[in-house]
Amino acid sequence: TTQELTELRSDLTGIPAITYGFSGLGSLGLGLGSAGINVHGGESPVSRGSSPPRPLSTHLLLAALDQHMMTLPAQSTAAYFRATAKCPDEVSNERKLLFLECDENNIPLAAQRLALYWQYRLDGFGEERCFEPMTLAGAMRDEVVTMVKSGIFQLMPNTDASGRAIIYTRMDRRDFSQFSAKQEVAWLTYLLEIVVQHQSLQSRGFVCLFNASNVTRKHYTRQAQQYRQRALDYAFPIRHRSNHGCNLSPLANYILVPVAMRLKSKNMRLRSRVHRGSGEDLLRSLAEFSLPRDRVPSDLGGGVVLDINQFLIDRISLEARKSGINFQALETDNVDQADRAGSTLSSAAPNHNEHGQAPPIDVPSAGVGRATAAASRATETSPKRKRAGNGVDPRMAKAVRAKQEDPDLKLYDALIIGGYVFTQKAPRQTDFDVFDEDGVSLKQRKNNLCTRLKREQTRNETKKASEPVGDGTTSVTQNQAPAAMARRDSFDEQIESLPGLDGLDDWVGRL
């Protein structure tokens, strides 16, 4: 029908359809700017567009939804009704309205989506974590390290030109020997939970952008594809608008994609596009679907550099502040303890992300306690390289000394002198593809070494500035500089290991 074609065009290209309540240039993202909606940072300051008219009042809609839930098969609603008893905040009226709005107030469809959401949540997180808050320290605490290491799914910090969230997928990062399709969907559940915290994104939905370069048969199974696709289309309280595939190999182009299309619903088959070519041709093709260069990942030639480590730091800080944890106070306590007992702990974290926005998610105290205990057990049982009394990896300290003694020494050679051992670099590989025995890339080690060198230079300059002047006195600010530098060192050393994820358990444990 004409209406269906209009909706299809809207979902694919982002051009607004009247049926979704969008109007004018605002729904195209014009006027928002690339930083108008910070997807990572919690609730957006951008006001939500007008909603479609409702045939019933909110109260009657919720009552009708509750009544319809009672008519569904007991097996499909068992997880939902357990959630109403164990975590009522997760099935509040506000949460139910998300499912209603996602299905345009269609009671049967919203009820089926709500029941399926809790089925997937119980299946993916298990009895122990299913009913905990959807936070890194809550339901995600056992999955975050594995899924971040995989790098398969990332929530981009920006929207597309139509103001829709973007889930970026590196299909060649899929490794079924390391994680399952259930864990993938669990990670998607967390990422999409971040999106629905934005009122301005709830009605606009999300698009999936796939990078299929280097994909082989081992990266695909029919069962896993069906499991993920059903969740994306029918379980989450936010609409899956479209799929865009890029850099398809011949195998993916002629075999995997056709098979995957057969597993999709008719709606999603029509809303899926394969973008041929590379470089400028690829970017021009994506731009026709509200994915201009400045909103596309650098992997595809765009201007957005994704940093999963910064994403984790921001989310941990946001979720902690929402739960009432004062990282500034914890920082001071830890510095005092370090002075007294040589402790290497540091819990400083930025109070705001780069966009200065507040945390979106609640982390109830009970979940905090359980997460802390779990993270502590993981920390006690996982082997970690011992560091010097000030929290510095002795290998890095040795590399810094070597570089200071010989400024012409290459960064790689300084790291080798320090004691790092890296895998052999193969032809066409970059520093991102070479890792040390801790799983940290050569690129990150070089960045860490540069950071340490700059810090040492700043330390020396600060030391000179704090030396007694004419009358043998120093200012209060100068006296406080070494303490501030010590806190900064402690924080930087704590997050320095994030690329290898060997320090993430400690961060989650702080929550």
mmCIF file of all heavy atoms in Angstrom, residues 196-225:
data_model
loop_
_atom_site.group_PDB
_atom_site.id
_atom_site.type_symbol
_atom_site.label_atom_id
_atom_site.label_comp_id
_atom_site.label_asym_id
_atom_site.label_seq_id
_atom_site.Cartn_x
_atom_site.Cartn_y
_atom_site.Cartn_z
ATOM 1 N N VAL A 196 17.327 3.559 24.720
ATOM 2 C CA VAL A 196 15.957 3.880 25.125
ATOM 3 C C VAL A 196 15.923 4.851 26.293
ATOM 4 O O VAL A 196 14.854 5.350 26.644
ATOM 5 C CB VAL A 196 15.158 2.608 25.472
ATOM 6 C CG1 VAL A 196 15.063 1.680 24.284
ATOM 7 C CG2 VAL A 196 15.762 1.877 26.672
ATOM 8 N N GLN A 197 17.077 5.117 26.919
ATOM 9 C CA GLN A 197 17.106 6.136 27.957
ATOM 10 C C GLN A 197 16.888 7.530 27.370
ATOM 11 O O GLN A 197 16.524 8.455 28.093
ATOM 12 C CB GLN A 197 18.452 6.101 28.703
ATOM 13 C CG GLN A 197 18.728 4.815 29.459
ATOM 14 C CD GLN A 197 17.716 4.556 30.561
ATOM 15 O OE1 GLN A 197 17.267 5.496 31.207
ATOM 16 N NE2 GLN A 197 17.368 3.309 30.759
ATOM 17 N N HIS A 198 17.124 7.685 26.079
ATOM 18 C CA HIS A 198 16.909 8.966 25.414
ATOM 19 C C HIS A 198 15.479 9.035 24.916
ATOM 20 O O HIS A 198 15.089 8.283 24.018
ATOM 21 C CB HIS A 198 17.844 9.123 24.210
ATOM 22 C CG HIS A 198 19.289 9.199 24.552
ATOM 23 N ND1 HIS A 198 19.960 10.387 24.683
ATOM 24 C CD2 HIS A 198 20.204 8.224 24.773
ATOM 25 C CE1 HIS A 198 21.234 10.143 24.968
ATOM 26 N NE2 HIS A 198 21.403 8.847 25.031
ATOM 27 N N GLN A 199 14.693 9.928 25.450
ATOM 28 C CA GLN A 199 13.335 10.075 24.956
ATOM 29 C C GLN A 199 13.321 10.450 23.478
ATOM 30 O O GLN A 199 12.433 10.047 22.730
ATOM 31 C CB GLN A 199 12.587 11.131 25.773
ATOM 32 C CG GLN A 199 12.204 10.667 27.167
ATOM 33 C CD GLN A 199 11.283 11.647 27.861
ATOM 34 O OE1 GLN A 199 11.162 12.797 27.454
ATOM 35 N NE2 GLN A 199 10.634 11.201 28.910
ATOM 36 N N SER A 200 14.309 11.229 23.048
ATOM 37 C CA SER A 200 14.348 11.671 21.664
ATOM 38 C C SER A 200 14.678 10.544 20.697
ATOM 39 O O SER A 200 14.490 10.690 19.488
ATOM 40 C CB SER A 200 15.365 12.802 21.500
ATOM 41 O OG SER A 200 16.620 12.402 21.991
ATOM 42 N N LEU A 201 15.198 9.415 21.200
ATOM 43 C CA LEU A 201 15.558 8.297 20.331
ATOM 44 C C LEU A 201 14.527 7.175 20.362
ATOM 45 O O LEU A 201 14.528 6.319 19.480
ATOM 46 C CB LEU A 201 16.922 7.729 20.736
ATOM 47 C CG LEU A 201 18.121 8.660 20.597
ATOM 48 C CD1 LEU A 201 19.380 7.958 21.069
ATOM 49 C CD2 LEU A 201 18.288 9.138 19.173
ATOM 50 N N GLN A 202 13.667 7.164 21.371
ATOM 51 C CA GLN A 202 12.752 6.043 21.548
ATOM 52 C C GLN A 202 11.866 5.837 20.329
ATOM 53 O O GLN A 202 11.690 4.716 19.854
ATOM 54 C CB GLN A 202 11.900 6.261 22.800
ATOM 55 C CG GLN A 202 12.675 6.140 24.090
ATOM 56 C CD GLN A 202 11.873 6.640 25.288
ATOM 57 O OE1 GLN A 202 10.703 6.980 25.160
ATOM 58 N NE2 GLN A 202 12.518 6.707 26.446
ATOM 59 N N SER A 203 11.296 6.900 19.817
ATOM 60 C CA SER A 203 10.386 6.756 18.685
ATOM 61 C C SER A 203 11.127 6.663 17.359
ATOM 62 O O SER A 203 10.566 6.198 16.364
ATOM 63 C CB SER A 203 9.411 7.936 18.640
ATOM 64 O OG SER A 203 10.112 9.149 18.484
ATOM 65 N N ARG A 204 12.369 7.092 17.317
ATOM 66 C CA ARG A 204 13.107 7.086 16.053
ATOM 67 C C ARG A 204 13.756 5.740 15.768
ATOM 68 O O ARG A 204 14.045 5.420 14.620
ATOM 69 C CB ARG A 204 14.169 8.188 16.072
ATOM 70 C CG ARG A 204 13.543 9.562 16.209
ATOM 71 C CD ARG A 204 14.572 10.660 16.163
ATOM 72 N NE ARG A 204 13.948 11.966 16.373
ATOM 73 C CZ ARG A 204 14.583 13.116 16.284
ATOM 74 N NH1 ARG A 204 15.875 13.138 15.989
ATOM 75 N NH2 ARG A 204 13.944 14.243 16.484
ATOM 76 N N GLY A 205 14.033 4.957 16.799
ATOM 77 C CA GLY A 205 14.577 3.634 16.590
ATOM 78 C C GLY A 205 16.077 3.629 16.316
ATOM 79 O O GLY A 205 16.781 4.602 16.581
ATOM 80 N N PHE A 206 16.556 2.511 15.763
ATOM 81 C CA PHE A 206 17.983 2.356 15.498
ATOM 82 C C PHE A 206 18.190 1.672 14.166
ATOM 83 O O PHE A 206 17.300 0.979 13.644
ATOM 84 C CB PHE A 206 18.662 1.554 16.614
ATOM 85 C CG PHE A 206 18.252 0.102 16.688
ATOM 86 C CD1 PHE A 206 19.032 -0.892 16.100
ATOM 87 C CD2 PHE A 206 17.090 -0.279 17.341
ATOM 88 C CE1 PHE A 206 18.665 -2.233 16.164
ATOM 89 C CE2 PHE A 206 16.704 -1.611 17.409
ATOM 90 C CZ PHE A 206 17.492 -2.582 16.827
ATOM 91 N N VAL A 207 19.374 1.867 13.607
ATOM 92 C CA VAL A 207 19.767 1.199 12.367
ATOM 93 C C VAL A 207 21.015 0.374 12.653
ATOM 94 O O VAL A 207 21.798 0.695 13.545
ATOM 95 C CB VAL A 207 20.033 2.204 11.233
ATOM 96 C CG1 VAL A 207 18.791 3.005 10.914
ATOM 97 C CG2 VAL A 207 21.183 3.131 11.583
ATOM 98 N N CYS A 208 21.179 -0.697 11.900
ATOM 99 C CA CYS A 208 22.359 -1.555 12.038
ATOM 100 C C CYS A 208 23.259 -1.352 10.833
ATOM 101 O O CYS A 208 22.809 -1.429 9.685
ATOM 102 C CB CYS A 208 21.955 -3.019 12.143
ATOM 103 S SG CYS A 208 21.156 -3.455 13.701
ATOM 104 N N LEU A 209 24.531 -1.088 11.105
ATOM 105 C CA LEU A 209 25.536 -0.891 10.070
ATOM 106 C C LEU A 209 26.551 -2.012 10.181
ATOM 107 O O LEU A 209 27.222 -2.155 11.207
ATOM 108 C CB LEU A 209 26.199 0.474 10.245
ATOM 109 C CG LEU A 209 27.275 0.878 9.239
ATOM 110 C CD1 LEU A 209 26.710 0.893 7.825
ATOM 111 C CD2 LEU A 209 27.853 2.239 9.601
ATOM 112 N N PHE A 210 26.665 -2.835 9.138
ATOM 113 C CA PHE A 210 27.504 -4.028 9.176
ATOM 114 C C PHE A 210 28.754 -3.826 8.317
ATOM 115 O O PHE A 210 28.657 -3.411 7.159
ATOM 116 C CB PHE A 210 26.740 -5.251 8.654
ATOM 117 C CG PHE A 210 25.548 -5.634 9.480
ATOM 118 C CD1 PHE A 210 24.296 -5.119 9.197
ATOM 119 C CD2 PHE A 210 25.681 -6.517 10.539
ATOM 120 C CE1 PHE A 210 23.194 -5.471 9.951
ATOM 121 C CE2 PHE A 210 24.585 -6.876 11.306
ATOM 122 C CZ PHE A 210 23.336 -6.351 11.013
ATOM 123 N N ASN A 211 29.896 -4.152 8.896
ATOM 124 C CA ASN A 211 31.151 -4.209 8.152
ATOM 125 C C ASN A 211 31.476 -5.686 7.960
ATOM 126 O O ASN A 211 31.848 -6.378 8.905
ATOM 127 C CB ASN A 211 32.264 -3.503 8.920
ATOM 128 C CG ASN A 211 33.565 -3.434 8.145
ATOM 129 O OD1 ASN A 211 33.731 -4.099 7.124
ATOM 130 N ND2 ASN A 211 34.496 -2.634 8.631
ATOM 131 N N ALA A 212 31.329 -6.161 6.722
ATOM 132 C CA ALA A 212 31.474 -7.596 6.443
ATOM 133 C C ALA A 212 32.823 -7.948 5.836
ATOM 134 O O ALA A 212 32.974 -9.026 5.258
ATOM 135 C CB ALA A 212 30.357 -8.053 5.512
ATOM 136 N N SER A 213 33.801 -7.069 5.956
ATOM 137 C CA SER A 213 35.118 -7.384 5.407
ATOM 138 C C SER A 213 35.732 -8.569 6.148
ATOM 139 O O SER A 213 35.566 -8.710 7.361
ATOM 140 C CB SER A 213 36.043 -6.165 5.519
ATOM 141 O OG SER A 213 36.200 -5.776 6.871
ATOM 142 N N ASN A 214 36.405 -9.423 5.410
ATOM 143 C CA ASN A 214 37.108 -10.597 5.959
ATOM 144 C C ASN A 214 36.170 -11.635 6.569
ATOM 145 O O ASN A 214 36.610 -12.495 7.343
ATOM 146 C CB ASN A 214 38.144 -10.178 7.012
ATOM 147 C CG ASN A 214 39.154 -9.190 6.477
ATOM 148 O OD1 ASN A 214 39.644 -9.339 5.368
ATOM 149 N ND2 ASN A 214 39.465 -8.171 7.268
ATOM 150 N N VAL A 215 34.888 -11.575 6.246
ATOM 151 C CA VAL A 215 33.946 -12.556 6.791
ATOM 152 C C VAL A 215 34.112 -13.891 6.070
ATOM 153 O O VAL A 215 34.221 -13.939 4.841
ATOM 154 C CB VAL A 215 32.495 -12.049 6.647
ATOM 155 C CG1 VAL A 215 31.501 -13.158 6.977
ATOM 156 C CG2 VAL A 215 32.270 -10.872 7.583
ATOM 157 N N THR A 216 34.142 -14.964 6.849
ATOM 158 C CA THR A 216 34.230 -16.313 6.296
ATOM 159 C C THR A 216 33.086 -17.155 6.855
ATOM 160 O O THR A 216 32.280 -16.682 7.659
ATOM 161 C CB THR A 216 35.574 -16.975 6.659
ATOM 162 O OG1 THR A 216 35.648 -17.146 8.094
ATOM 163 C CG2 THR A 216 36.745 -16.113 6.195
ATOM 164 N N ARG A 217 33.040 -18.384 6.445
ATOM 165 C CA ARG A 217 31.953 -19.279 6.872
ATOM 166 C C ARG A 217 31.936 -19.469 8.384
ATOM 167 O O ARG A 217 30.869 -19.659 8.965
ATOM 168 C CB ARG A 217 32.116 -20.640 6.179
ATOM 169 C CG ARG A 217 31.026 -21.643 6.499
ATOM 170 C CD ARG A 217 29.681 -21.185 5.985
ATOM 171 N NE ARG A 217 28.617 -22.118 6.333
ATOM 172 C CZ ARG A 217 27.987 -22.138 7.507
ATOM 173 N NH1 ARG A 217 28.319 -21.271 8.434
ATOM 174 N NH2 ARG A 217 27.027 -23.004 7.725
ATOM 175 N N LYS A 218 33.090 -19.378 9.025
ATOM 176 C CA LYS A 218 33.143 -19.614 10.469
ATOM 177 C C LYS A 218 32.461 -18.508 11.263
ATOM 178 O O LYS A 218 32.178 -18.677 12.451
ATOM 179 C CB LYS A 218 34.592 -19.764 10.935
ATOM 180 C CG LYS A 218 35.393 -18.470 10.902
ATOM 181 C CD LYS A 218 36.797 -18.676 11.443
ATOM 182 C CE LYS A 218 37.576 -17.361 11.487
ATOM 183 N NZ LYS A 218 38.937 -17.546 12.045
ATOM 184 N N HIS A 219 32.217 -17.364 10.629
ATOM 185 C CA HIS A 219 31.591 -16.249 11.323
ATOM 186 C C HIS A 219 30.070 -16.300 11.260
ATOM 187 O O HIS A 219 29.407 -15.358 11.684
ATOM 188 C CB HIS A 219 32.066 -14.922 10.717
ATOM 189 C CG HIS A 219 33.534 -14.701 10.844
ATOM 190 N ND1 HIS A 219 34.376 -14.587 9.752
ATOM 191 C CD2 HIS A 219 34.327 -14.597 11.939
ATOM 192 C CE1 HIS A 219 35.614 -14.406 10.164
ATOM 193 N NE2 HIS A 219 35.617 -14.412 11.480
ATOM 194 N N TYR A 220 29.525 -17.379 10.729
ATOM 195 C CA TYR A 220 28.082 -17.420 10.515
ATOM 196 C C TYR A 220 27.533 -18.803 10.810
ATOM 197 O O TYR A 220 28.100 -19.821 10.396
ATOM 198 C CB TYR A 220 27.763 -17.047 9.069
ATOM 199 C CG TYR A 220 26.306 -17.177 8.706
ATOM 200 C CD1 TYR A 220 25.430 -16.123 8.903
ATOM 201 C CD2 TYR A 220 25.797 -18.365 8.178
ATOM 202 C CE1 TYR A 220 24.087 -16.239 8.579
ATOM 203 C CE2 TYR A 220 24.462 -18.490 7.847
ATOM 204 C CZ TYR A 220 23.613 -17.427 8.045
ATOM 205 O OH TYR A 220 22.292 -17.546 7.735
ATOM 206 N N THR A 221 26.413 -18.847 11.546
ATOM 207 C CA THR A 221 25.614 -20.060 11.663
ATOM 208 C C THR A 221 24.153 -19.665 11.537
ATOM 209 O O THR A 221 23.742 -18.577 11.963
ATOM 210 C CB THR A 221 25.815 -20.794 13.006
ATOM 211 O OG1 THR A 221 25.256 -20.010 14.074
ATOM 212 C CG2 THR A 221 27.281 -21.070 13.272
ATOM 213 N N ARG A 222 23.391 -20.522 10.961
ATOM 214 C CA ARG A 222 21.969 -20.223 10.732
ATOM 215 C C ARG A 222 21.233 -20.053 12.052
ATOM 216 O O ARG A 222 20.416 -19.138 12.201
ATOM 217 C CB ARG A 222 21.338 -21.352 9.913
ATOM 218 C CG ARG A 222 19.860 -21.159 9.671
ATOM 219 C CD ARG A 222 19.332 -22.160 8.675
ATOM 220 N NE ARG A 222 17.916 -21.973 8.435
ATOM 221 C CZ ARG A 222 17.261 -22.476 7.401
ATOM 222 N NH1 ARG A 222 17.919 -23.176 6.495
ATOM 223 N NH2 ARG A 222 15.964 -22.271 7.250
ATOM 224 N N GLN A 223 21.514 -20.917 13.016
ATOM 225 C CA GLN A 223 20.808 -20.851 14.289
ATOM 226 C C GLN A 223 21.092 -19.536 15.015
ATOM 227 O O GLN A 223 20.189 -18.903 15.565
ATOM 228 C CB GLN A 223 21.207 -22.036 15.183
ATOM 229 C CG GLN A 223 20.780 -23.398 14.674
ATOM 230 C CD GLN A 223 21.693 -23.931 13.585
ATOM 231 O OE1 GLN A 223 22.713 -23.314 13.244
ATOM 232 N NE2 GLN A 223 21.336 -25.095 13.041
ATOM 233 N N ALA A 224 22.369 -19.113 15.006
ATOM 234 C CA ALA A 224 22.727 -17.867 15.672
ATOM 235 C C ALA A 224 22.073 -16.668 14.987
ATOM 236 O O ALA A 224 21.600 -15.732 15.644
ATOM 237 C CB ALA A 224 24.244 -17.695 15.695
ATOM 238 N N GLN A 225 22.039 -16.693 13.652
ATOM 239 C CA GLN A 225 21.411 -15.614 12.905
ATOM 240 C C GLN A 225 19.926 -15.504 13.244
ATOM 241 O O GLN A 225 19.389 -14.406 13.461
ATOM 242 C CB GLN A 225 21.604 -15.845 11.407
ATOM 243 C CG GLN A 225 20.851 -14.869 10.510
ATOM 244 C CD GLN A 225 21.358 -13.450 10.622
ATOM 245 O OE1 GLN A 225 22.495 -13.242 11.034
ATOM 246 N NE2 GLN A 225 20.527 -12.483 10.275
#
